[in-house]
Amino acid sequence: MRDDICFSGGHLFRASSVTDGTGAACACGAHGPIMTGGRRRFIGGLAAGAVFAGGGMGALADPPAIIGGSTARVPVERPDLAIGFVPISCAAPLIMAMAKGFFRQEGLNVQLHKTAGWALIRDRLLDGSLDGSHLLSPMPLSLSLGLGSHAIQPVRALTMQNINGQALTMALKHWKNRDPRQWKGMTFAIPFEFSMHNLLLRAYLAQYGLDPDRDVSLRVTAPPDMVANLRAGNIDGFLGPEPFNQRAVYEQAGFLHVLSADLWDGHPCCAFGVTAAFMAQYPGTYRAMQRAMIRAAYFMQDPANRLEAARIMAQPAYLNQPEIVIRQSLTGHYADGLGMVRDNPRRAGFSPYPYPSMAVWILSQFSRWGYLKDAVPCQDMAQQVFLIDEVRRQVADMGLPLPAAARNDWPDYAIMGRAFDPLHPPSYSR
Amino acid sequence: MPVQERRLSLFLSLAVLCCGLLLWQYATHPTVSHSPYGIPEGNAEYQRLMGRDAATAHASGFPTPAEFVRSAMDELRAPLRDNGPGDRGIGWQLGASLLRVAVGYGLAVLVAVPLGFAFGLHPVLQRAFNPFVQILRPISPLAWMPVALYTIRNAEGCGIFVIFICSLWPILLNTSFGVTTIRREWLNVARTLEVRWPQRLGLVLLPAAAPAIVTGMRIGLGVAWLAIVAAEMLVGSSGIGYFVWNQWNNLSLSNVILAILLIGATGMLLDSVLALVQRSVRYAE
């Protein structure tokens, strides 16, 4: 219970500091418009906040008192770490944490392991050859539920890495066939079953009356194979990670039909996770990783850093892709493949906050498409796996600005034009 | 072979090479690339973002021979560079693959040769194990991969296991064949002269079966080299197969072709080493 109190106090303290600073320094300023409802729906948090408001303000002069024991720095037990990543733009915070020295600042000596796919990432994280890893944000949930895996293995999302930044890319031959209602019989590639790409594509197709299980075929494909297959005509489109959407444009194989930012502005994409067993064994180490990843996400969210990031990510050790392609996907100043230069600064976003709201949507889609057969207590599960409280405490501890919206565990979202209420998710009967 | 014929075959080899290169050049000759399907070409900024201006000209699609040579030179300039596990030179990768093959193949030889001897000397054993060998033998290295991953749970171990399991069978079958077909007279002579077991093995069995064993080892090594590239593409974090995957991830066909050529050349070298061994153990009856 003490944690709750500390957190509420911390949040009030942060809230006032954000207003003092008029949010100018808020690297995560992008958050504001993402949430459709700014309603504060803490579970018990609001009351606690009110009660401890005095304490919070008093602590303004003495921040450590607010932070309390929960975030007191525990020494790093295990400084040498192996961390996995898949070479896509979603891993930008992880790559920055490495290249800009955020891991080193925390006393961590990290080796990044470029890994060939999500199944392999899953296996290596679970068998302990990776200490932590870049994960698709549905993966901590699916693994903790034992979906697509041989046993239930609790995995936690320590931080989110990125929001938005994906796209539905279609083959050039369909450039005049932009209405999804006409897409019956097409084949689409997705990177993994338990990916936001799969869930977003399914929801998108379903919105236009297609049954993603019957009317189209969805094929799990590695991103470079997506581009090659698109060019060869084996698939009609893919909802894939950057920079492969932009790469398909660059290779004159496809065009960007819709950015994921236009489907759901603020949707989660990739997370950074460890197993619950690792957290129990190395509490100081996972917190150090979390701090580095938070710093990295703030770094990436600042538009001023995007060009430098593109330069670093293009290196052979990381994405090993042309810089001009990565830059277009990061800055949102891009060629769309149809002869237009477009600007959408919200194309890619980076945020460390794993909102339980997001997890509830993911879980609701798991049951919608039959991955999850049993009913699970969505909100509890979401809070257990998406560690937003810890991220907030760390942010407060590090003295970083907390965006106003990040105080709410349960922001509403507008997903493909419809409001999503995480406390009352739609139930899908199949 | 007379000198005349040798010259002719050399000339033919060169002609084939030249034809291949010419075809490659012709097929990849850069043409002005217009957007297909009548899609608008866009403005200058669009062209820049598509990498179509002179400064950032990129080779879309398959490289021409000249582009290939240029990027191969780049890659081969620093074959032993080491900037962490994500960016190692091609020399490192080749070395990592060879090391894996050495371990996996070495284990296969250690297991298959004694087992082959046992089968060759005891037809009952051979008949008993034959169905299993015949079923396991034609399995592709890639089919073993998920099973290996699930049970061994270690990428390095998986690679070695796949090499082991694939190179085992040809060595085993050839050894047992070699031992079975040793002329009975030689064994009988040895027995009459009361040559003891260890000497019989060293003086008669091994030399007599050696050509067949080395043939099996030669086939096995070829299979091991085939398997490692495939295995590393799936689970590798190093090795030439990983290099191919990493370059494919960048859609950099030049480097993929370079790797293919190096894989071929290395395979040829390995094979010619065993060909030398084969020549040294050959005997005329």
Side-chain angles (χ1 to χ4, degrees), chain A residues 8-9 12-13 16 47-61 66:
Chain A
S8 304
L12 279 170
F13 161 60
S16 52
V51 171
F52 286 90
M57 299 312 282
L60 204 55
I66 309 170

Side-chain angles (χ1 to χ4, degrees), chain B residues 50-269:
Chain B
M50 292 294 282
R52 284 200 216 124
D53 64 339
T56 53
H58 82 292
S60 179
F62 212 82
T64 63
E67 282 164 352
F68 165 69
V69 169
R70 215 172 307 130
S71 84
M73 294 307 276
D74 271 353
E75 189 57 47
L76 291 176
R77 196 167 298 139
L80 292 180
R81 73 170 189 279
D82 183 3
N83 306 326
D87 181 21
R88 287 208 174 106
I90 197 163
W92 276 110
Q93 312 291 12
L94 213 50
S97 294
L98 284 172
L99 192 70
R100 271 186 207 127
V101 166
V103 176
Y105 177 71
L107 284 175
V109 171
L110 284 182
V111 171
V113 171
L115 215 57
F117 264 94
F119 287 0
L121 293 173
H122 306 283
V124 177
L125 272 183
Q126 177 156 24
R127 214 160 301 137
F129 279 93
N130 195 40
F132 303 108
V133 173
Q134 294 306 335
I135 286 175
L136 293 174
R137 197 171 54 103
I139 297 174
S140 140
L142 294 185
W144 283 109
M145 216 58 216
V147 182
L149 267 175
Y150 186 83
T151 48
I152 301 176
R153 300 186 159 224
N154 171 316
E156 199 62 40
C158 281
I160 289 171
F161 168 77
V162 166
I163 296 167
F164 168 79
I165 202 80
C166 290
S167 49
L168 186 71
W169 312 116
I171 308 176
L172 178 65
L173 290 176
N174 273 283
T175 306
S176 81
F177 169 78
V179 174
T180 331
T181 51
I182 294 173
R183 288 174 57 178
R184 292 291 119 183
E185 295 93 317
W186 299 349
L187 292 176
N188 291 341
V189 167
R191 206 169 294 141
T192 350
L193 294 175
E194 294 191 350
V195 179
R196 292 157 65 86
W197 231 103
Q199 277 125 334
R200 219 191 295 167
L201 188 71
L203 292 174
V204 182
L205 286 173
L206 209 51
I213 296 175
V214 176
T215 304
M217 285 171 64
R218 203 172 158 186
I219 300 172
L221 190 59
V223 176
W225 192 239
L226 279 181
I228 188 61
V229 175
E232 283 170 348
M233 280 187 82
L234 276 187
V235 296
S237 48
S238 65
I240 194 75
Y242 169 78
F243 181 85
V244 171
W245 171 78
N246 194 21
Q247 296 306 329
W248 170 234
N249 208 51
N250 180 25
L251 299 168
S252 161
L253 285 173
S254 289
N255 281 338
V256 172
I257 296 169
L258 173 68
I260 288 174
L261 291 179
L262 276 175
I263 291 168
T266 313
M268 193 179 73
L269 269 178

Side-chain angles (χ1 to χ4, degrees), chain A residues 83-99 103 112-115 118 121 133-136 160-166 197 241-243 269-272 293 296-297 299-300 309 312-313 317-319 326 329-330 348-350:
Chain A
I83 294 180
F85 78 106
V86 170
I88 54 178
S89 294
C90 303
L94 189 51
I95 292 168
M96 290 307 120
M98 183 77 194
F103 281 131
L112 280 191
H113 292 266
K114 203 191 279 190
T115 307
W118 296 108
I121 286 263
S133 184
H134 171 200
L135 297 172
L136 294 158
M160 195 52 70
Q161 290 204 74
N162 65 326
I163 52 177
N164 300 346
Q166 322 302 310
H197 310 88
E242 297 294 356
C269 184
C270 286
F272 178 76
M293 290 302 293
F299 175 88
M300 277 308 300
I312 294 172
M313 286 157 68
Y318 303 122
L319 263 52
I326 300 176
S329 65
L330 286 185
F350 298 88

Side-chain angles (χ1 to χ4, degrees), chain A residues 80-246:
Chain A
D80 296 318
L81 296 170
I83 294 180
F85 78 106
V86 170
I88 54 178
S89 294
C90 303
L94 189 51
I95 292 168
M96 290 307 120
M98 183 77 194
K100 298 296 290 179
F102 301 135
F103 281 131
R104 222 170 21 247
Q105 266 174 35
E106 300 291 341
L108 300 173
N109 175 28
V110 168
Q111 278 241 325
L112 280 191
H113 292 266
K114 203 191 279 190
T115 307
W118 296 108
L120 205 57
I121 286 263
R122 171 197 65 202
D123 294 345
R124 291 212 176 143
L125 182 70
L126 297 187
D127 73 19
S129 39
L130 292 175
D131 297 304
S133 184
H134 171 200
L135 297 172
L136 294 158
S137 57
M139 285 172 72
L141 294 162
S142 66
L143 293 171
S144 298
L145 287 164
L147 305 178
S149 173
H150 11 86
I152 291 183
Q153 294 247 28
V155 172
R156 302 288 177 252
L158 285 186
T159 68
M160 195 52 70
Q161 290 204 74
N162 65 326
I163 52 177
N164 300 346
Q166 322 302 310
L168 175 52
T169 303
M170 298 292 292
L172 288 184
K173 65 177 175 215
H174 295 306
W175 79 289
K176 285 185 170 155
N177 179 11
R178 300 290 293 273
D179 182 359
R181 278 175 278 258
Q182 310 297 320
W183 290 357
K184 222 170 189 175
M186 284 191 181
T187 303
F188 294 92
I190 48 170
F192 196 60
E193 283 211 306
F194 300 102
S195 67
M196 285 304 291
H197 310 88
N198 181 25
L199 301 181
L200 284 173
L201 180 60
R202 283 169 175 269
Y204 179 69
L205 295 172
Q207 199 189 12
Y208 287 93
L210 296 184
D211 179 342
D213 286 312
R214 289 192 192 153
D215 296 338
V216 297
S217 62
L218 302 182
R219 206 183 274 173
V220 174
T221 310
D225 296 333
M226 289 178 182
V227 178
N229 278 316
L230 195 69
R231 188 211 286 277
N234 296 332
I235 55 173
D236 297 288
F238 64 84
L239 208 156
E242 297 294 356
F244 290 96
N245 300 297
Q246 196 61 47

Side-chain angles (χ1 to χ4, degrees), chain B residues 20-62:
Chain B
L21 285 174
L22 273 176
L23 263 178
W24 180 1
Q25 175 66 42
Y26 173 76
T28 56
H29 192 71
T31 46
V32 184
S33 63
H34 288 290
S35 292
Y37 309 106
I39 295 169
E41 291 288 329
N43 54 16
E45 173 66 359
Y46 185 83
Q47 293 292 330
R48 188 186 71 81
L49 291 174
M50 292 294 282
R52 284 200 216 124
D53 64 339
T56 53
H58 82 292
S60 179
F62 212 82

